[in-house]
Amino acid sequence: MAYQLNEKLSRLQPYVPVAETAGIIHLDANESFLNLPETLRQKISEAVAQTSYHRYPDPYAVELCKAFAAYYHVKENHVTAGNGSDELISLLISNFLMKGETVVTTDPDFSMYTFYPALAETNCMEICKGNNFSISSEDLICKVQELHARMLLFSNPCNPTSLGLTKQQILQIVKNVDALVVIDEAYMDFWDLSQSVLGEEENYDNLIVLKTCSKIGVAAIRLGFAVSNEKLTGILHAVKSPYNVNTLTQKIGSLFLQAQDVLRSRTKAIQTSRDALQNGVEAVLQRHPGAFQLYRSCTNFVTLRLPRADALHTYLMAHGISVRLFPGFLRVTAGSETENAAFLSTLEAYLEEEN
Ligand SMILES: *Cc1c(COP(=O)(O)O)cnc(C)c1O
């Protein structure tokens, strides 16, 4: 009787997902603050009612990938659907790297980029962002080449800094490294689709773009996409588990992505909320100069850097508002008007009490 967990499992630091708590304002998970409109919910109910529950899902989610391709103007045969982009990140790490090979990511960035490499027994090197959370394409290229990295993986625009690199900067990286470059564009919809590298996958043998439906309105169904050239898409199809996206998610995801007007207007509403939140926080900063540093967001959240981020986090929590705490900064998701107002007045109250 001497079973012991292996080293990687004994060392594992589990990801702690945020739990939905009744009565709390959740600005902590970058979800959309809007539920789907009634008309679309009705269509979904009808489609769900027709489900062949006794059959497996379509293994390649053809209808769904077609709807995705149409909305984002990419080729259908460049698309792989996943059970959230989390599944795709895990697939990329565990298949495009051999044991002991190196993936480069940036710090701070999405926590899953370091979580999966630890499980896959690959090396993960994090390149620290400089002051003002900046990072240059030159630095990234140098590090990737110097380390003989096999993959470079980061979010653009970045979660949690809210900042983005331009399309030109991203392509410069793709052209100048020998590694596979995975650009996670989870938040690109809230910035500027002309900065997206979607469509460029055709021109490079080392580019994969990740997308998710979680931030644009349907976090509940777990749906993400990888976009890559035909060859890489063939590999992704070959290594994924056969029925990775369930039938209900395929149906709901197809209807969601086909409702292009709804998607566009929801995206706009989230951008409007983000701008209002950003302006509100800026106004608070003007009344309390130097209280924190604020970044110009190209996402659906704003990032505030301050030395005692944990104290503010605790104060907000005590007032029923949950935001995401990082070492030395907070990430606040754009919410409804009421939610944003609650956050802003509580932030102001905290700064007044503190002084
Ligand atoms: C939220 C988020 C994801 C997660 O996407 P899922 O499709 O919900 O798994 C991926 N990448 C980044 C950068 C995110 O912030």
Side-chain angles (χ1 to χ4, degrees), residues 84-86 89 110 113 155 159 184 186-187 212 214-215 222-224:
S85 54
D86 259 349
I89 295 166
F110 188 45
Y113 304 157
S155 55
N159 171 16
D184 185 343
Y187 299 93
T212 176
S214 298
K215 312 295 152 66
R222 306 300 301 128
L223 179 59

PDB file of all heavy atoms in Angstrom, residues 84-86 89 110 113 155 159 184 186-187 212 214-215 222-224, ligand 1:
ATOM      1  N   GLY A  84     -14.424  25.322 -25.121  1.00  0.00           N
ATOM      2  CA  GLY A  84     -13.767  26.504 -24.574  1.00  0.00           C
ATOM      3  C   GLY A  84     -12.388  26.623 -25.196  1.00  0.00           C
ATOM      4  O   GLY A  84     -11.832  25.618 -25.657  1.00  0.00           O
ATOM      5  N   SER A  85     -11.832  27.840 -25.234  1.00  0.00           N
ATOM      6  CA  SER A  85     -10.474  27.906 -25.782  1.00  0.00           C
ATOM      7  C   SER A  85      -9.492  27.293 -24.793  1.00  0.00           C
ATOM      8  O   SER A  85      -8.393  26.897 -25.160  1.00  0.00           O
ATOM      9  CB  SER A  85     -10.072  29.310 -26.210  1.00  0.00           C
ATOM     10  OG  SER A  85     -10.241  30.223 -25.196  1.00  0.00           O
ATOM     11  N   ASP A  86      -9.896  27.151 -23.545  1.00  0.00           N
ATOM     12  CA  ASP A  86      -9.084  26.410 -22.574  1.00  0.00           C
ATOM     13  C   ASP A  86      -8.696  25.019 -23.085  1.00  0.00           C
ATOM     14  O   ASP A  86      -7.554  24.592 -22.933  1.00  0.00           O
ATOM     15  CB  ASP A  86      -9.875  26.226 -21.280  1.00  0.00           C
ATOM     16  CG  ASP A  86      -9.447  27.216 -20.214  1.00  0.00           C
ATOM     17  OD1 ASP A  86      -8.422  27.889 -20.408  1.00  0.00           O
ATOM     18  OD2 ASP A  86     -10.140  27.306 -19.195  1.00  0.00           O
ATOM     19  N   ILE A  89      -6.020  25.440 -25.695  1.00  0.00           N
ATOM     20  CA  ILE A  89      -4.711  25.791 -25.124  1.00  0.00           C
ATOM     21  C   ILE A  89      -4.049  24.517 -24.600  1.00  0.00           C
ATOM     22  O   ILE A  89      -2.872  24.249 -24.855  1.00  0.00           O
ATOM     23  CB  ILE A  89      -4.869  26.837 -23.989  1.00  0.00           C
ATOM     24  CG1 ILE A  89      -5.410  28.157 -24.549  1.00  0.00           C
ATOM     25  CG2 ILE A  89      -3.531  27.064 -23.276  1.00  0.00           C
ATOM     26  CD1 ILE A  89      -5.920  29.135 -23.488  1.00  0.00           C
ATOM     27  N   PHE A 110      -2.567  35.475 -19.239  1.00  0.00           N
ATOM     28  CA  PHE A 110      -3.621  34.544 -18.833  1.00  0.00           C
ATOM     29  C   PHE A 110      -3.006  33.355 -18.078  1.00  0.00           C
ATOM     30  O   PHE A 110      -2.052  32.734 -18.576  1.00  0.00           O
ATOM     31  CB  PHE A 110      -4.340  34.076 -20.099  1.00  0.00           C
ATOM     32  CG  PHE A 110      -5.572  33.251 -19.857  1.00  0.00           C
ATOM     33  CD1 PHE A 110      -6.521  33.610 -18.910  1.00  0.00           C
ATOM     34  CD2 PHE A 110      -5.804  32.115 -20.627  1.00  0.00           C
ATOM     35  CE1 PHE A 110      -7.667  32.852 -18.716  1.00  0.00           C
ATOM     36  CE2 PHE A 110      -6.947  31.349 -20.446  1.00  0.00           C
ATOM     37  CZ  PHE A 110      -7.882  31.718 -19.485  1.00  0.00           C
ATOM     38  N   TYR A 113      -1.787  29.736 -19.359  1.00  0.00           N
ATOM     39  CA  TYR A 113      -0.586  29.528 -20.187  1.00  0.00           C
ATOM     40  C   TYR A 113       0.551  28.905 -19.392  1.00  0.00           C
ATOM     41  O   TYR A 113       1.460  28.316 -19.968  1.00  0.00           O
ATOM     42  CB  TYR A 113      -0.097  30.849 -20.791  1.00  0.00           C
ATOM     43  CG  TYR A 113      -1.113  31.600 -21.617  1.00  0.00           C
ATOM     44  CD1 TYR A 113      -0.986  32.977 -21.805  1.00  0.00           C
ATOM     45  CD2 TYR A 113      -2.195  30.956 -22.214  1.00  0.00           C
ATOM     46  CE1 TYR A 113      -1.903  33.686 -22.556  1.00  0.00           C
ATOM     47  CE2 TYR A 113      -3.121  31.660 -22.956  1.00  0.00           C
ATOM     48  CZ  TYR A 113      -2.973  33.027 -23.121  1.00  0.00           C
ATOM     49  OH  TYR A 113      -3.881  33.738 -23.860  1.00  0.00           O
ATOM     50  N   SER A 155      -1.802  36.527 -24.969  1.00  0.00           N
ATOM     51  CA  SER A 155      -3.101  37.088 -25.333  1.00  0.00           C
ATOM     52  C   SER A 155      -2.910  38.484 -25.900  1.00  0.00           C
ATOM     53  O   SER A 155      -2.093  39.262 -25.424  1.00  0.00           O
ATOM     54  CB  SER A 155      -4.039  37.113 -24.127  1.00  0.00           C
ATOM     55  OG  SER A 155      -3.464  37.790 -23.034  1.00  0.00           O
ATOM     56  N   ASN A 159      -5.118  39.901 -21.396  1.00  0.00           N
ATOM     57  CA  ASN A 159      -5.743  39.719 -20.097  1.00  0.00           C
ATOM     58  C   ASN A 159      -4.599  39.339 -19.153  1.00  0.00           C
ATOM     59  O   ASN A 159      -3.947  38.326 -19.429  1.00  0.00           O
ATOM     60  CB  ASN A 159      -6.769  38.581 -20.167  1.00  0.00           C
ATOM     61  CG  ASN A 159      -7.306  38.194 -18.813  1.00  0.00           C
ATOM     62  OD1 ASN A 159      -7.160  38.912 -17.857  1.00  0.00           O
ATOM     63  ND2 ASN A 159      -7.937  37.027 -18.737  1.00  0.00           N
ATOM     64  N   ASP A 184      -3.795  34.613 -28.706  1.00  0.00           N
ATOM     65  CA  ASP A 184      -5.119  34.427 -28.119  1.00  0.00           C
ATOM     66  C   ASP A 184      -5.881  35.753 -28.208  1.00  0.00           C
ATOM     67  O   ASP A 184      -5.615  36.689 -27.453  1.00  0.00           O
ATOM     68  CB  ASP A 184      -4.941  33.983 -26.664  1.00  0.00           C
ATOM     69  CG  ASP A 184      -6.255  33.641 -25.985  1.00  0.00           C
ATOM     70  OD1 ASP A 184      -7.316  34.035 -26.499  1.00  0.00           O
ATOM     71  OD2 ASP A 184      -6.202  32.986 -24.926  1.00  0.00           O
ATOM     72  N   ALA A 186      -8.950  36.533 -27.472  1.00  0.00           N
ATOM     73  CA  ALA A 186     -10.205  36.464 -26.702  1.00  0.00           C
ATOM     74  C   ALA A 186     -10.911  37.824 -26.608  1.00  0.00           C
ATOM     75  O   ALA A 186     -12.134  37.886 -26.549  1.00  0.00           O
ATOM     76  CB  ALA A 186      -9.927  35.921 -25.302  1.00  0.00           C
ATOM     77  N   TYR A 187     -10.127  38.915 -26.602  1.00  0.00           N
ATOM     78  CA  TYR A 187     -10.708  40.246 -26.372  1.00  0.00           C
ATOM     79  C   TYR A 187     -10.664  41.157 -27.590  1.00  0.00           C
ATOM     80  O   TYR A 187     -10.990  42.334 -27.490  1.00  0.00           O
ATOM     81  CB  TYR A 187      -9.975  40.926 -25.196  1.00  0.00           C
ATOM     82  CG  TYR A 187     -10.135  40.137 -23.934  1.00  0.00           C
ATOM     83  CD1 TYR A 187      -9.194  39.184 -23.554  1.00  0.00           C
ATOM     84  CD2 TYR A 187     -11.274  40.295 -23.147  1.00  0.00           C
ATOM     85  CE1 TYR A 187      -9.368  38.420 -22.417  1.00  0.00           C
ATOM     86  CE2 TYR A 187     -11.460  39.534 -22.004  1.00  0.00           C
ATOM     87  CZ  TYR A 187     -10.510  38.601 -21.653  1.00  0.00           C
ATOM     88  OH  TYR A 187     -10.695  37.842 -20.540  1.00  0.00           O
ATOM     89  N   THR A 212     -12.663  32.911 -28.405  1.00  0.00           N
ATOM     90  CA  THR A 212     -13.615  32.294 -27.488  1.00  0.00           C
ATOM     91  C   THR A 212     -14.962  33.006 -27.576  1.00  0.00           C
ATOM     92  O   THR A 212     -15.003  34.195 -27.904  1.00  0.00           O
ATOM     93  CB  THR A 212     -13.116  32.342 -26.028  1.00  0.00           C
ATOM     94  OG1 THR A 212     -14.137  31.816 -25.176  1.00  0.00           O
ATOM     95  CG2 THR A 212     -12.791  33.758 -25.572  1.00  0.00           C
ATOM     96  N   SER A 214     -16.778  33.050 -24.871  1.00  0.00           N
ATOM     97  CA  SER A 214     -17.077  33.288 -23.450  1.00  0.00           C
ATOM     98  C   SER A 214     -17.194  34.771 -23.096  1.00  0.00           C
ATOM     99  O   SER A 214     -17.951  35.138 -22.210  1.00  0.00           O
ATOM    100  CB  SER A 214     -15.994  32.671 -22.568  1.00  0.00           C
ATOM    101  OG  SER A 214     -15.961  31.283 -22.750  1.00  0.00           O
ATOM    102  N   LYS A 215     -16.434  35.616 -23.754  1.00  0.00           N
ATOM    103  CA  LYS A 215     -16.427  37.014 -23.360  1.00  0.00           C
ATOM    104  C   LYS A 215     -17.447  37.826 -24.155  1.00  0.00           C
ATOM    105  O   LYS A 215     -17.779  38.931 -23.786  1.00  0.00           O
ATOM    106  CB  LYS A 215     -15.012  37.612 -23.532  1.00  0.00           C
ATOM    107  CG  LYS A 215     -13.911  36.737 -22.936  1.00  0.00           C
ATOM    108  CD  LYS A 215     -14.014  36.602 -21.423  1.00  0.00           C
ATOM    109  CE  LYS A 215     -13.457  35.323 -20.834  1.00  0.00           C
ATOM    110  NZ  LYS A 215     -12.031  35.102 -20.927  1.00  0.00           N
ATOM    111  N   ARG A 222     -19.446  26.951 -23.076  1.00  0.00           N
ATOM    112  CA  ARG A 222     -18.059  26.506 -23.262  1.00  0.00           C
ATOM    113  C   ARG A 222     -17.762  26.308 -24.757  1.00  0.00           C
ATOM    114  O   ARG A 222     -17.956  25.223 -25.311  1.00  0.00           O
ATOM    115  CB  ARG A 222     -17.764  25.180 -22.508  1.00  0.00           C
ATOM    116  CG  ARG A 222     -18.086  25.179 -21.061  1.00  0.00           C
ATOM    117  CD  ARG A 222     -17.296  26.247 -20.312  1.00  0.00           C
ATOM    118  NE  ARG A 222     -15.866  26.072 -20.453  1.00  0.00           N
ATOM    119  CZ  ARG A 222     -15.027  27.029 -20.851  1.00  0.00           C
ATOM    120  NH1 ARG A 222     -15.478  28.239 -21.166  1.00  0.00           N
ATOM    121  NH2 ARG A 222     -13.751  26.788 -20.941  1.00  0.00           N
ATOM    122  N   LEU A 223     -17.295  27.365 -25.391  1.00  0.00           N
ATOM    123  CA  LEU A 223     -17.019  27.279 -26.817  1.00  0.00           C
ATOM    124  C   LEU A 223     -15.870  28.202 -27.210  1.00  0.00           C
ATOM    125  O   LEU A 223     -15.902  29.404 -26.952  1.00  0.00           O
ATOM    126  CB  LEU A 223     -18.287  27.646 -27.615  1.00  0.00           C
ATOM    127  CG  LEU A 223     -18.165  27.618 -29.137  1.00  0.00           C
ATOM    128  CD1 LEU A 223     -17.760  26.234 -29.643  1.00  0.00           C
ATOM    129  CD2 LEU A 223     -19.482  28.050 -29.785  1.00  0.00           C
ATOM    130  N   GLY A 224     -14.851  27.600 -27.814  1.00  0.00           N
ATOM    131  CA  GLY A 224     -13.717  28.367 -28.306  1.00  0.00           C
ATOM    132  C   GLY A 224     -13.292  27.835 -29.665  1.00  0.00           C
ATOM    133  O   GLY A 224     -13.763  26.772 -30.108  1.00  0.00           O
TER     134      GLY A 224
HETATM  135  C1  LIG B   1     -11.295  34.054 -20.682  1.00  0.00           C
HETATM  136  C2  LIG B   1     -10.120  33.745 -21.496  1.00  0.00           C
HETATM  137  C3  LIG B   1     -10.033  32.541 -22.183  1.00  0.00           C
HETATM  138  C4  LIG B   1     -10.972  31.419 -21.836  1.00  0.00           C
HETATM  139  O1  LIG B   1     -11.727  31.057 -22.830  1.00  0.00           O
HETATM  140  P1  LIG B   1     -12.747  29.836 -22.666  1.00  0.00           P
HETATM  141  O2  LIG B   1     -13.215  29.738 -24.057  1.00  0.00           O
HETATM  142  O3  LIG B   1     -13.798  30.292 -21.711  1.00  0.00           O
HETATM  143  O4  LIG B   1     -12.013  28.644 -22.205  1.00  0.00           O
HETATM  144  C5  LIG B   1      -8.960  32.331 -23.024  1.00  0.00           C
HETATM  145  N1  LIG B   1      -8.000  33.257 -23.153  1.00  0.00           N
HETATM  146  C6  LIG B   1      -8.032  34.413 -22.480  1.00  0.00           C
HETATM  147  C7  LIG B   1      -6.934  35.388 -22.641  1.00  0.00           C
HETATM  148  C8  LIG B   1      -9.089  34.685 -21.621  1.00  0.00           C
HETATM  149  O5  LIG B   1      -9.101  35.807 -20.910  1.00  0.00           O
END
